[in-house]
Amino acid sequence: MSVAAHADALGNLARVFQRMAQEVHAREQQLRQQLQQVLLDLKEREHSGDESIGTYIPMDRRQALVTGETLPERASGAAIFVDVCGFSAITEALERELGLQRGAEELVRHLNTIFDALIDEVHRFRGSVVSFGGDAMTAWFEEDEGQLAVSCALSMQKVMTPFASLQSPARTTITLALKAAVAAGPVRRMLVGDPDIQVIDVLAGWPLDELALAEQLAEDGEVVVQETIIQLARRTMTVSEWRTAASSGRKFAVVSDIEDGTQVVPWPEVPAGAIGNLVARPWLLPAIYERVRDGKSEFLAELRPAAVLFLGFHGIDFDGDDQAGAKLDAFVRRAQRVISDYDGSLLQVTVGDKGSYFYAGFGAPVAHQDDAVRAVAAALELQAPPPTFQHISGIRIGVASGQMRAGAYGGSGRRTYGVHGSKTNLAAALMQHSPRGILCDEAIYLTAGHRLPFDALQPIVSKGSGRAVPVFRPVSLSIHGVISSDLDRLPPAKQLTLKVASVIGITFTRRLLKAIYPLKVDRPNIDG
């Protein structure tokens, strides 16, 4: 029987000392945790300071830039889609235990650590990470019939093992897993977008449709492979199970092992400074480029209110139309101009089995008080492209707003910039649910409803939670009306200045504006 169990004064004193010892131990643990966080922060900032602009470019494009070559638009090879499953649980745990801001920072740190290991494997097998999508990424292996891609996917499953079980600061155990899909065939490798804003690497073609079907059939910890790859492999792959896509009848295999005698030749290292800043600049949004160039990319990562817009569309034949690249480029450039007019950023372009889509962010990296209004105004303009885009069909848009994790993420060998959170997923779901037109969430309605008219629609059921989600559709008010309402809020002198300037044209000199300004008394104030 311990002394602390006694009911006398000595027992009371022992229990006091026990509590004191427990408190000292708890404080010691807290200090150790805080010290660890500080060390991790310093390491992250050191890594960000050493970050190269070239890491925002896919590795095969980087190699081509160094040697002065150009990658062909038509290519043949294999693609991998990998998705890290379980980040929803770790997101909730970290935000609950550390708060929204610190939780978001820790989440990105965990994601970066995992991506670092996965990207290293892609580069070791001479692949290139073409695009990211939250906690997923797509990699391309040129002139590969699938052997290298499958080997790489199985290797990534192995390097994922140390991350299979993570503990939150409060010792909550969270299970993470990787699922991978592999498909091969001829693709279009396109560079689209305005270089003054950002160029975006896009992978398209029927193998991407196969990849999407395989991903839907994959479960946590599995590598699901296109049937054609298995046939070409000549029994070098161990198939544990066959599965069939209900929508198309296409067969896919769950591969657990591979006997691959192919010698892997990793990419040669790109020397520091081999890709000049001016060459790399078009690959980053201007605001991102400036911070990365100045070694301040760690300040890109933050939790902030933002609005996201997803736009889906059909009408481009990426397999059969020789002009597919030019058509997509023109459509993306127009979207970039519209979104930039409202100070938003087009962040990603994706082509898949359910048509193509892109997503844009408003409020990151540049924030405004009316980002929800800007997102809806942009959506209204984007839903009705001019006659030159009559081949584009099936435009559907989802818009949502809320707290987002905005910032640079990825590994030391490949990074990107994104805006992610539960509202990103909701905006994508609204786009997919809408047969046509624009659907907005309740947060957009509550934030922008005083400026724009909305119709309340029947709620939709969320696939993830099963809960009914309120949905609203903005009434097609002309953009001129939106802008006019903003002008009406300005003082009379500023309204007159803008109206006189608009008569001159889109661009004008201050000298000409002052010369034709009707009120002499206000001319000295025009510069202001």
Side-chain angles (χ1 to χ4, degrees):
M1 186 174 181
S2 66
V3 177
H6 290 214
D8 56 12
L10 186 60
N12 287 334
L13 184 61
R15 287 191 291 274
V16 169
F17 278 116
Q18 273 188 346
R19 287 195 296 271
M20 290 174 63
Q22 290 170 352
E23 290 175 1
V24 169
H25 178 71
R27 289 174 184 172
E28 182 182 355
Q29 291 294 101
Q30 185 178 18
L31 287 172
R32 284 181 179 177
Q33 181 181 328
Q34 290 174 347
L35 178 60
Q36 184 180 18
Q37 295 295 341
V38 169
L39 292 174
L40 287 171
D41 285 343
L42 290 174
K43 184 178 179 181
E44 189 80 6
R45 292 202 172 194
E46 182 181 355
H47 169 75
S48 298
D50 294 337
E51 184 176 283
S52 165
I53 292 175
T55 60
Y56 286 77
I57 305 173
M59 179 57 83
D60 54 357
R61 297 277 187 194
R62 249 182 279 174
Q63 299 285 340
L65 288 172
V66 170
T67 58
E69 299 175 357
T70 302
L71 297 183
E73 183 177 302
R74 290 191 180 272
S76 184
I80 297 179
F81 176 86
V82 293
D83 187 7
V84 182
C85 309
F87 262 95
S88 295
I90 196 171
T91 299
E92 295 173 1
L94 291 173
E95 289 181 353
R96 181 176 62 251
E97 296 169 12
L98 300 176
L100 292 176
Q101 181 63 48
R102 190 64 188 177
E105 293 170 356
E106 284 299 299
L107 178 69
V108 173
R109 179 173 290 127
H110 283 299
L111 187 61
N112 287 348
T113 302
I114 293 172
F115 269 149
D116 212 14
L118 298 179
I119 292 167
D120 282 349
E121 289 303 295
V122 172
H123 289 171
R124 187 168 72 86
F125 282 87
R126 212 177 179 85
S128 299
V129 177
V130 177
S131 62
F132 294 84
D135 47 16
M137 65 182 185
T138 301
W140 173 247
F141 298 78
E142 181 78 12
E143 298 181 354
D144 174 34
E145 293 182 338
Q147 295 280 112
L148 275 179
V150 172
S151 297
C152 181
L154 291 169
S155 182
M156 283 195 284
Q157 291 287 10
K158 292 179 182 177
V159 302
M160 186 68 189
T161 302
F163 311 108
S165 180
L166 297 179
Q167 281 195 332
S168 70
R171 303 298 180 184
T172 301
T173 301
I174 296 147
T175 302
L176 298 179
L178 188 75
K179 67 176 182 178
V182 185
V187 301
R188 304 289 284 272
R189 187 75 184 277
M190 297 168 290
L191 275 183
V192 300
D194 184 347
D196 289 335
I197 301 175
Q198 184 184 24
V199 294
I200 301 171
D201 205 316
V202 178
L203 200 60
W206 67 264
L208 276 297
D209 298 343
E210 294 273 280
L211 199 67
L213 291 173
E215 185 270 328
Q216 292 167 11
L217 296 173
E219 296 179 2
D220 295 359
E222 292 183 340
V223 175
V224 174
V225 180
Q226 175 190 37
E227 181 182 20
T228 306
I229 293 177
I230 304 298
Q231 293 170 345
L232 292 172
R234 298 181 182 88
R235 299 184 180 179
T236 62
M237 298 182 189
T238 302
V239 177
S240 58
E241 183 182 343
W242 283 95
R243 293 178 187 160
T244 303
S247 59
S248 65
R250 302 286 294 170
K251 292 179 65 178
F252 297 86
V254 179
V255 174
S256 57
D257 197 8
I258 183 171
E259 298 176 8
D260 189 6
T262 305
Q263 184 177 3
V264 178
V265 182
W267 288 109
E269 185 176 346
V270 177
I275 302 175
N277 287 352
L278 292 179
V279 174
R281 215 285 325 143
W283 292 85
L284 289 81
L285 291 164
I288 308 302
Y289 167 78
E290 291 175 5
R291 297 193 189 186
V292 175
R293 179 198 60 192
D294 297 339
K296 298 177 180 178
S297 65
E298 76 271 17
F299 296 111
L300 289 170
E302 56 188 333
L303 187 76
R304 59 159 66 196
V308 286
L309 179 157
F310 275 75
L311 183 148
F313 62 96
H314 296 277
I316 301 178
D317 180 3
F318 293 102
D319 293 306
D321 187 354
D322 289 337
Q323 298 301 313
K327 290 178 179 178
L328 180 63
D329 181 45
F331 188 62
V332 169
R333 286 181 184 233
R334 178 188 180 264
Q336 286 179 318
R337 288 193 297 270
V338 171
I339 292 165
S340 295
D341 284 345
Y342 294 98
D343 227 0
S345 301
L346 193 151
L347 300 171
Q348 180 181 325
V349 179
T350 302
V351 175
D353 66 321
K354 294 182 180 179
S356 306
Y357 71 88
F358 61 72
Y359 96 95
F362 297 81
V366 180
H368 312 82
Q369 291 184 340
D370 60 346
D371 282 310
V373 175
R374 292 167 183 263
V376 176
L380 288 167
E381 194 166 343
L382 289 168
Q383 73 171 343
T388 51
F389 298 101
Q390 59 183 354
H391 56 280
I392 299 294
S393 62
I395 291 181
R396 57 206 186 280
I397 300 175
V399 189
S401 70
Q403 290 288 348
M404 306 283 184
R405 297 183 302 276
Y409 69 97
S412 58
R414 178 74 166 94
R415 291 176 75 75
T416 191
Y417 178 85
V419 179
H420 300 288
S422 60
K423 289 305 186 78
T424 309
N425 300 333
L426 177 56
L430 292 175
M431 173 196 71
Q432 292 172 352
H433 192 275
S434 174
R436 56 183 175 79
I438 306 168
L439 294 182
C440 301
D441 76 334
E442 188 173 26
I444 289 287
Y445 166 71
L446 293 174
T447 308
H450 68 290
R451 299 273 298 279
L452 299 168
F454 288 83
D455 288 334
L457 306 179
Q458 288 292 325
I460 63 173
V461 178
S462 169
K463 290 183 179 179
S465 64
R467 296 194 297 264
V469 177
V471 178
F472 301 84
R473 173 170 286 136
V475 176
S476 296
L477 184 70
S478 71
I479 301 304
H480 180 271
V482 177
I483 297 173
S484 295
S485 67
D486 286 342
L487 293 179
D488 291 342
R489 299 169 185 267
L490 295 175
K494 290 186 178 181
Q495 289 186 39
L496 180 59
T497 303
L498 286 173
K499 289 176 182 179
V500 173
S502 69
V503 172
I504 302 173
I506 295 176
T507 60
F508 51 86
T509 64
R510 285 178 292 178
R511 179 181 297 179
L512 179 58
L513 179 59
K514 290 179 179 179
I516 68 171
Y517 199 81
L519 300 180
K520 292 183 179 180
V521 67
D522 286 338
R523 287 178 186 173
N525 301 321
I526 285 178
D527 288 346

